[in-house]
Amino acid sequence: MNKHFLSTSIALLLCLGACAQGQNTVKNKTAVKFSASIDKTNAYKHLSVLASDEYEGRETGKKGAWMAADYIKNYFKSIGLKGPVQGDYFQPIDMVTYKLTQSVFTIDGNARENDKDFVIPAANVSLQGFTFNAKEVVFAGYGLDTEGYNDYAGIDVAGKVVMIFASGNPSMKEEAAPADRAARRKAMSAKREKLQYLANHKALAVIQIDPAVDTLNEEMKVMLAGSGQLSLKSEENTARMAKVKTFPTINISTSTANDILKAAGTTVEALQQQISSTGKPATQMINIAVSGSAQKEEVKVRAENVLGFLEGSDPVLKKEILVITGHYDHIGLTVSGTDKVNNGADDDGSGTTGVLLIADAFAKAKQAGKGPKRSILFMTVVGEEKGLLGSEWYSEHPVLPLENTITNLNIDMIGRVDKEHENKQDYVYIIGSDMLSSDLNAAGINANEQYLNMNLDMKYNNRTDPNQFYYRSDHYNFAKHGIPVIFYFNGVHEDYHQPGDEVSKINFDLLARRAQLVYYTAWDLANRKTRPIVDKNEDGTPKK
């Protein structure tokens, strides 16, 4: 072989390799051009409206959420996106709640006042309702059956109304409010176990002595009663609810409990002290008649996802869809404090704003004849705060085929900084990017390296994260169907789900940069030759 030819060939190969590597860091000038409108000024324009007091915290099923939906719909229409739901931008969701139409509790035939003397948790009322009558009550202390202490020793609770303390323990150590999500779940689990014990042993009903009923405000009434809880309406859910066996439960105030205990010549305080001082149960029969009944009905709730569609330019690739999401709902109003509006500027007004900014950039590109090859669905979903309901509905009733959906890029909280990054704020948490597709993960990283060079923090990018962030936003309803996802997130802060989550605390420069990252990633995904390969199963194992 000719030495000169060999040297020239090697040089050419080296050059080609270097050029190929260099292409990964060369910015696409067209993409950069149309990113210009993703800036802090436009971000403020949208978020100052969506997170204003006028929108009342955008709670699903309430006026503020409907106002937000209308704002987003009108904006999608104004920038030229199409309504993909039979020509409309709203995807109606069959969402319902259940409210109690009857709540009755009597002592010796005398009716007590609902939401003052007692509360009936709606979750413990079946669709058929309940009614019970008894001539006596079994007081069973803390309702515990543990090693060395058993409130039910020697007692058969079958067919009886049982009264217990809703919380607490025999040692009477003061119980602090659970400090975190895990502790709250544990406390709730312990309460459910006590009720389950009585249900399993065929008790007629349970009366819980609950100090929270002593000082009920409107917020506590809703929380204790559990009314207003939303769910998706479907034949499957209706059939499931009809089969659910509920256990009649009534929570009563301390004074109402004392009215019952008067028949036994004692009080709540006396019994607590007796159990605490002796370390032994004070279980006893109380000769007093009680009755209770409850009925509930289904109520339809107005809720809709808002969809804007941008058709791709390639005659073949336009059948494939990239979905970009953010949830526009938040948690609404509170009755306590001087500031009663949970504005949700960061959660998730910032993500919704990001979707609007990215939609505008792509719409401008299409109007200039530079639109993406694949189609893009911009979707702001409702009901995220109620259990990812809007995205669940879409995933079960897709407007565009899921098999043609190549990726979901989900934006949930991109306007603030958490404590871990106070000194180095140019970051964003990336979650889920490599859970199903190493190809998608590489695309997200490459887009960042090409255009922004932010810190992509992968701290929460795993299934074993105690916070379970991978499962807590709308991307998961795509991931569970095998669609690769990336979740963009700034982490929690002191104003998370508090009225302090205000527009004034948003870092708009940072919001815009994070939205640009999503945009550049979307630009690549919408224009590349092949869709991201799904090479992992839902449990993370490689696909065979």
Side-chain angles (χ1 to χ4, degrees), residues 412-430:
D412 193 349
M413 299 173 61
I414 56 167
R416 296 278 294 266
V417 174
D418 67 4
K419 288 186 177 180
E420 291 190 28
H421 296 87
E422 288 176 347
N423 298 323
K424 195 173 181 180
Q425 300 187 1
D426 195 28
Y427 79 98
V428 66
Y429 289 109
I430 300 296

Side-chain angles (χ1 to χ4, degrees), residues 98-106 111-115 118-133 225 227 248-250 291-299:
Y98 298 89
K99 72 175 184 178
L100 294 180
T101 57
Q102 176 182 305
S103 300
V104 177
F105 180 58
T106 70
R112 296 307 171 116
E113 187 175 344
N114 183 38
D115 282 345
F118 72 96
V119 172
I120 297 179
N124 292 72
V125 182
S126 69
L127 292 176
Q128 295 76 33
F130 71 73
T131 299
F132 68 83
N133 291 277
S227 58
T249 304
I250 297 180
S291 70
S293 63
Q295 294 291 329
K296 70 179 180 183
E297 68 177 13
E298 181 182 282
V299 179

Side-chain angles (χ1 to χ4, degrees), residues 124-197:
N124 292 72
V125 182
S126 69
L127 292 176
Q128 295 76 33
F130 71 73
T131 299
F132 68 83
N133 291 277
K135 294 182 179 180
E136 58 186 7
V137 174
V138 179
F139 172 73
Y142 293 94
L144 297 174
D145 180 6
T146 60
E147 186 176 350
Y149 181 92
N150 183 5
D151 283 309
Y152 299 113
I155 288 187
D156 180 7
V157 299
K160 297 181 174 64
V161 174
V162 180
M163 184 166 70
I164 61 175
F165 296 122
S167 58
N169 59 74
S171 67
M172 278 298 293
K173 291 178 181 176
E174 188 174 346
E175 290 186 329
D180 55 35
R181 185 182 295 267
R184 288 193 293 272
R185 281 200 297 263
K186 185 176 180 181
M188 289 299 296
S189 177
K191 289 183 178 182
R192 284 194 294 268
E193 286 177 6
K194 291 201 293 186
L195 296 182
Q196 192 60 53
Y197 176 94

